[in-house]
Amino acid sequence: MFAEMAEERATPREWILNAGYEYRFELDPGASLAIKHVTGQASTEYISEETAMPAYANLHLALEAMRVRALSHAQGSDELERTPPYDGDSESAEPPRILILGPPNSGKTSVAKILINYAVRAGQDWCPFLINVDPSEGGPMLPGTVSASPISAPLQTSTPAHTLGSSSTSAPTHVSSNSLLPLVYWYGHEGTKRNGLLLDRLIRNLGENVWDRLEDDPQGRASGVIVDTPASLSASGTSGDHRQALIKACVDAFRVNVILVVGHEKLNVEMQRTYGSRMTVVKIPKSGGVVELDALYRSRIHKYQMHSYFYGERFSVPPGMPSLNTGSTNTGYIIGGEQNTDLALSPSSTIISFSDLTIYRIGEETMAPTSALPIGATRVVSEMQPLLVDPAQPGSGLYNAVLALLAPPNPDESERYDEEILDLHVVGFIVVTAIDIPNKRMTVLAPSQGSLAGRIVILGSFEWQE
Ligand SMILES: Nc1ncnc2c1ncn2[C@@H]1O[C@H](COP(=O)(O)OP(=O)(O)OP(=O)(O)O)[C@@H](O)[C@H]1O
């Protein structure tokens, strides 16, 4: 039995869910809803064919068996002999490294989240990596990024700004206990076709970093990897070469051994043909609860994500639910094992000189992909060439632009290389709010105070205005 209370309604309503039923809700912007589990169990007896959860739960059990086998194998324990193998392959002791594919609005992100949360709730100290290579979504960071986050606690699910958990913030006094510390690269665009080569390289960078990180961590390695992908990797409207190249980049970079295809028969057949001989390809059903998100909703979420990055988020508990405050701190509520960040941040608006920042964009602003060039033609500027952006040029594209602040390059000059900035991860973001060309100055909004002098930033195609 669940008690539900929406913000505009002071009296709770009770719902009795039969076994195999799923409780679904949709909220208007700004509305919030509290759900209290009153009686019964929310793990579930799976008997209904109405929901996709039985398939997801069975899948989780199979993945869990793979993790246990992999860890046992790594520890050289005889547990290996006793753990049932996945798909009958008695030789395999590989942990699950899963690529989730599916058309737009098929519920890929939700499946990724469900599988990650099942894993970390299993009580086995798993810490799987959640990889987000969908730049239109932003994962735990901002749209335009791709990221890898080790997940050790259930992902926050209560805010549309961070559907894949919140990363730690600039707040000086507080880092919530389960905030993520993702490794982030800046692709800078929403669509994967805009610069496929760059996205390919960033995916491979993420992979290398994940394996470096896992090298001395058998528990982490056994926990596996879950990769959430953009819909364009599965959409029929996208060119086959582009899709296949990015799928291959993911398969190679994250050593994928399980491909999950969410509710798409043709794609399942295609993946079976391409990868079926060397890994498990499984089609899983699309949940009937998935909501079709339109472009307007997505652009509203992008704005909300940007606002939350700079100003934090306030989480409003519907009135009449005082018990939810139990266990709260000044900065967050702990509800159902999830920490809901409730932070007001204070960004800083600073005037800086043009010369403080070195600003790049990657490739020309308008550039057809290499594959679209006539056969034999080469271009002068490559898609991956960092090009300096001059703020003094009218039309530089900097006004209201979101700029990714990069980690410093290698201090050893002899280790530097031309395209090094493509391989530097992101440490934060700033937005240009005013440009004063005569005085060679600009105003930038940054999450915290601190000098930006000497920093390298990259311009993409994202803009934001308060
Ligand atoms: N079982 C469910 N019940 C209610 N809402 C759901 C359910 N599954 C997914 N949703 C909602 O449907 C929307 C789309 O789901 P999701 O983001 O998982 O799809 P996706 O395939 O990853 O989308 P995209 O094409 O953008 O990558 C989200 O708002 C999500 O919260």
Side-chain angles (χ1 to χ4, degrees), residues 22-26 51-53 56 102-114 134 136-137 163 228-232 262 287-293 297-298:
E22 203 178 300
Y23 173 67
R24 295 171 184 160
F25 60 89
E26 289 179 35
T51 127
M53 293 308 282
Y56 301 166
N105 302 310
S106 55
K108 299 176 290 301
T109 305
S110 304
V111 171
K113 200 153 59 178
I114 289 167
D134 184 353
S136 70
E137 199 171 58
T163 48
D228 183 23
T229 62
S232 57
V262 190
S287 167
V290 179
V291 180
E292 299 266 329
L293 304 177
Y297 177 88
R298 288 174 197 267

Side-chain angles (χ1 to χ4, degrees), residues 60 64 67 113-128 150-155:
H60 162 70
E64 195 63 10
R67 291 188 184 101
K113 200 153 59 178
I114 289 167
L115 293 178
I116 281 277
N117 281 352
Y118 278 177
V120 295
R121 286 192 163 118
Q124 302 293 320
D125 290 333
W126 300 131
C127 185
I151 309 292
S152 56
L155 291 172

